[in-house]
Amino acid sequence: MLAVVLAGTGLRAIGVLDDRRTGRLNALAYYVALPALIFTATYDQSVGDLLSPALLAGLLVVLFATAALAWLVHRDRWSRARRSVAVVQSYHSNLGYLGLPLVAATFDGEVTAIASVILGIVSLVQVPLTIVVLVGINDADAQVREELRQIATNPVLASLVAGLAVGEIGVAVPSTVAAGLDGLGALALPLALLCVGASLELDLPSVDAGATLSVVALKIAAMPALAWIVFSTLGVDPAALTAGVVMFGTPTAVSTFVYTTEIGGDEGFASLNVFVTTVASIGSLFVLIHLIG
């Protein structure tokens, strides 16, 4: 993971991955590889087998509890612009670009299928929550309706719905089609890592070690630890426990920098946190997967 992320950063530095080419890679990962991975993970599964009431409750508890903890930790600290970013980046996980591809590359099909459902459910909650937090703290005049409309047309959610629908109806997917989609899905992790590496920027003048460390501690340490406690307490099955803990152990999503740019917040601080949590999570995820595996 670290090698591919650094390769993406290096290719951007020498001009190979400029904005146009990085945009094309992002589109390939987001609109082709990731939806293919999600569909192949869920098209032969039943919704009831993947999503239990305990798992659903646990996902919501972990997400909102981490957001509330971030609010308490960061309240009345720094400027509004920096505080809003610190809160958002303490809970907003990189579930699509890193979480699901990493789970698919590491665990079996059952865990991957559950991780796909987790991606869909948590995305439906964390994206609107992030928009509300940024708008509320910054008193931003943003087009919230347009941002929320984009959620409804999200290809990740569309592929999840399609895969679960095929699984519930019992439609047979031809083996050649399944094999082709499986091959495309295998590209999700390397493409995502390259794009993340090409998108990372370190703005040294904006470095605030204390603020960034608090975000890192909440995102890649407190959140997966809380997930492990909550899912264990609720008694979810081992596959769901594994998928949930690893997905919540992912770094801050790159999209939080995009939302900060569009809606309001400290852009330099947002970019720094994405960079640091991504690099730090490579080590933390190795430990987490070893423990949970």
Side-chain angles (χ1 to χ4, degrees):
M1 287 177 61
L2 179 59
V4 181
V5 168
L6 293 178
T9 304
L11 290 173
R12 185 201 67 207
I14 63 176
V16 174
L17 282 181
D18 54 18
D19 290 342
R20 179 176 58 85
R21 290 170 182 162
T22 301
R24 289 179 177 177
L25 277 183
N26 267 308
L28 181 60
Y30 189 65
Y31 290 99
V32 179
L34 191 56
L37 174 60
I38 293 172
F39 183 82
T40 55
T42 55
Y43 78 88
D44 57 351
Q45 303 280 345
S46 169
V47 178
D49 294 335
L50 299 177
L51 182 62
S52 65
L55 176 59
L56 177 60
L59 293 174
L60 297 178
V61 168
V62 173
L63 180 61
F64 284 106
T66 306
L69 180 60
W71 180 274
L72 290 174
V73 170
H74 302 306
R75 74 186 189 282
D76 300 328
R77 301 176 68 184
W78 316 298
S79 63
R80 284 190 174 190
R82 179 155 294 190
R83 186 165 68 249
S84 64
V85 172
V87 171
V88 163
Q89 294 190 318
S90 295
Y91 68 79
H92 197 123
S93 304
N94 196 337
L95 303 177
Y97 265 23
L98 287 182
L100 180 60
L102 179 61
V103 169
T106 310
F107 299 101
D108 61 22
E110 181 183 5
V111 179
T112 303
I114 295 173
S116 298
V117 174
I118 291 174
L119 167 60
I121 293 173
V122 176
S123 295
L124 281 173
V125 180
Q126 75 174 3
V127 173
L129 178 60
T130 290
I131 294 171
V132 169
V133 170
L134 289 175
V135 170
I137 295 180
N138 294 299
D139 292 329
D141 184 16
Q143 295 181 343
V144 178
R145 182 177 299 178
E146 175 61 22
E147 297 290 345
L148 296 179
R149 185 192 66 80
Q150 293 181 12
I151 300 174
T153 58
N154 190 310
V156 169
L157 298 178
S159 59
L160 175 61
V161 171
L164 293 175
V166 169
E168 285 297 312
I169 298 172
V171 177
V173 176
S175 58
T176 53
V177 174
L181 291 174
D182 193 50
L184 288 174
L187 297 174
L189 183 58
L191 283 176
L193 292 174
L194 275 176
C195 293
V196 168
S199 302
L200 293 179
E201 296 182 4
L202 183 60
D203 185 7
L204 291 176
S206 69
V207 171
D208 183 336
T212 295
L213 286 176
S214 66
V215 172
V216 171
L218 285 168
K219 183 67 211 67
I220 67 174
M223 194 171 195
L226 178 62
W228 202 325
I229 294 171
V230 170
F231 292 138
S232 298
T233 302
L234 293 175
V236 302
D237 64 74
L241 174 66
T242 300
V245 171
V246 174
M247 292 287 274
F248 279 132
T250 54
T252 299
V254 179
S255 61
T256 57
F257 172 74
V258 178
Y259 290 127
T260 299
T261 303
E262 294 180 352
I263 298 175
D266 189 328
E267 296 177 20
F269 182 59
S271 177
L272 172 66
N273 291 339
V274 171
F275 182 93
V276 175
T277 58
T278 299
V279 174
S281 71
I282 294 174
S284 65
L285 283 169
F286 176 83
V287 174
L288 191 61
I289 289 172
H290 177 73
L291 294 174
I292 198 71

